[in-house]
Amino acid sequence: MERSELPAPAKPLLRALTGEAVWPPPAWLMRQAGRYLPEYRDIRARAGDFITLCTTPELAAEVTLQPIRRFGMEGAILFSDILMVPWALGQPLRFAEGEGPLLEPLRSAEAIAALNPSAIVERVAPILETVARVRAGLATEAPRTTLIGFAGGCFTVACYMLEGRGSKEFAAARGLAYADPALFGRLIRTLQEATVEYLVAQVEAGAEALMLFDSWAGMLSPGQFRRWVIEPTASITRALRRRCPGVPLIGFPRLAGPLLADYAARAGVDATAMDTAMDPRWAAQAVPPGMALQGNLDPLALVAGGAALEAEARSILAAMRGRPYVFNLGHGIVPQTPPEHVTALMRLLRSA
Ligand code: CP3
């Protein structure tokens, strides 16, 4: 057989996500494209505002590839935002400098009923073009790197849609979930439907793995967590298994604590991501040994660098050795991170 006819060996990240204990583990970092990189800040300044950056395929593809060129991660995450789903559903969104995202909050049953998930794929066309460009870029520049598409978890996205902005409590969403579960459920079902269409379209455009960011899942009581995090996620994963079989899905129920075990067992994901507060030794016992875990270095240890970074990284690696595992942070990289600490981390991982 000609060399070119041999099947390409599966990429390390895909092997780990589908249950192989790849060592040293494949790695990528949440928010790996962003303000800590001077080359990102250049492009961000050129684009003007953040939504323009997310909807200009040439620029969004470029910033997706920047950290891969500099550090060689095994995963490249699409450059976009979880709030592009509400944006695509027609809810006015802007990113104010220093304030984070601002949405016009949903205030009535009519506003929730007016959201139309069937138009989503058309609205996100530029993001899908970014996916296609990144996949083509990886094929020539980084053939071992896997392209990860993503969306927000329904509960987390609903939090922003009802509150209109970031919040410590997200009382509007958590309150509505108790006061009018039928109406809150209607919003969650709309998001479920939009999220499935959006993720299937990302796979059709070239995404090879998917991640669901449920950043505020940990604010819920156990009963509410099962109803508004596990159940909607299970319904999304059932649809995805049918419509894009073989594409692994990573779930991130941030700050779930011991409910992480329920989530791993029942949400239907292939891999479970651990946040910074999770003890990886506990997770290694609580999540079945054949299921991949991802995480969970403290982003602040990466800012500190040196011996503290090395000790934290090594202790996570020791807990994960022997099982399918993907190295990552426990939450997004922060803007004050020195890029050379990321270089040092990648070097440490490669010699693990
Ligand atoms: O590199 C990557 O990880 C891919 C791109 C990505 C972004 N946001 C880019 C971004 C991803 C996967 C996200 C997910 C996201 N967005 C989440 C879930 C993960 C998490 O952090 O909990 C959430 C909750 C959001 C919503 C959001 N977007 C907030 C609260 C903010 C403001 C805070 C901040 O860091 O500025 C954003 C803006 C945002 N999203 C930026 C980036 C690079 C910064 C925008 C800028 O350049 O000014």
Side-chain angles (χ1 to χ4, degrees):
M1 202 158 47
E2 292 287 318
R3 195 182 149 71
S4 62
E5 288 170 20
L6 290 168
K11 300 177 177 189
L13 179 62
L14 288 175
R15 285 164 47 207
L17 292 178
T18 50
E20 193 183 324
V22 180
W23 210 265
W28 65 282
L29 305 176
M30 290 190 274
R31 291 280 181 96
Q32 64 191 13
R35 285 168 296 189
Y36 74 110
L37 289 177
E39 59 268 36
Y40 170 84
R41 292 195 299 268
D42 283 352
I43 293 206
R44 176 78 168 77
R46 246 207 276 163
D49 87 305
F50 181 71
I51 296 179
T52 305
L53 177 52
C54 291
T55 52
T56 307
E58 189 195 343
L59 299 182
E62 176 61 22
V63 297
T64 305
L65 292 167
Q66 282 173 343
I68 312 306
R69 290 194 191 115
R70 206 193 247 257
F71 309 112
M73 289 91 170
E74 282 77 21
I77 184 145
L78 166 68
F79 189 83
S80 181
D81 198 85
I82 64 165
L83 299 178
M84 296 312 282
V85 165
W87 172 85
L89 288 168
Q91 190 175 13
L93 167 69
R94 65 197 174 87
F95 284 83
E97 203 57 58
E99 271 194 274
L102 296 172
L103 287 148
E104 216 165 85
L106 299 174
R107 290 268 196 246
S108 66
E110 291 69 36
I112 290 172
L115 299 167
N116 176 12
S118 66
I120 184 159
V121 171
E122 209 175 303
R123 278 297 297 275
V124 300
I127 300 174
L128 302 176
E129 194 192 323
T130 303
V131 172
R133 279 177 184 246
V134 174
R135 184 69 188 275
L138 290 176
T140 55
E141 290 187 46
R144 292 176 64 257
T145 296
T146 297
L147 174 53
I148 307 162
F150 73 91
C154 298
F155 173 71
T156 293
V157 175
C159 278
Y160 285 99
M161 292 176 87
L162 290 162
E163 198 74 41
R165 49 162 69 230
S167 157
K168 281 208 175 69
E169 291 286 344
F170 285 106
R174 292 196 297 127
L176 185 67
Y178 285 116
D180 192 345
L183 182 59
F184 190 73
R186 176 157 194 184
L187 175 57
I188 293 289
R189 273 192 309 282
T190 298
L191 288 171
Q192 246 168 247
E193 208 182 306
T195 302
V196 168
E197 295 310 318
Y198 181 43
L199 292 177
V200 168
Q202 289 184 40
V203 169
E204 286 169 352
E208 302 169 278
L210 297 169
M211 177 147 165
L212 274 180
F213 289 87
D214 227 335
S215 304
W216 301 110
M219 301 181 87
L220 293 169
S221 73
Q224 297 290 81
F225 180 90
R226 293 188 180 103
R227 184 163 184 188
W228 306 119
V229 173
I230 293 182
E231 284 177 22
T233 304
S235 136
I236 290 171
T237 53
R238 275 194 301 274
L240 291 174
R241 283 198 196 292
R242 199 169 60 243
R243 291 177 61 186
C244 14
V247 175
L249 188 93
I250 309 161
F252 183 36
R254 195 169 75 90
L255 300 175
L259 292 168
L260 192 84
D262 280 34
Y263 181 94
R266 294 178 43 217
V269 296
D270 298 275
T272 304
M274 303 175 287
D275 60 78
T276 303
M278 173 59 53
D279 181 348
R281 290 168 306 180
W282 180 85
Q285 300 300 313
V287 171
M291 185 184 211
L293 285 166
Q294 175 177 286
N296 68 341
L297 180 75
D298 189 340
L300 275 277
L302 189 56
V303 173
L309 167 61
E310 182 169 342
E312 286 287 310
R314 288 205 192 284
S315 109
I316 298 167
L317 290 167
M320 292 292 117
R321 180 131 212 183
R323 68 175 298 139
Y325 168 64
V326 175
F327 190 92
N328 207 317
L329 301 177
H331 200 190
I333 205 165
V334 291
Q336 68 269 32
T337 305
E340 56 279 15
H341 292 181
V342 178
T343 307
L345 172 64
M346 294 302 290
R347 194 177 310 125
L348 180 156
L349 294 175
R350 293 208 170 104
S351 63

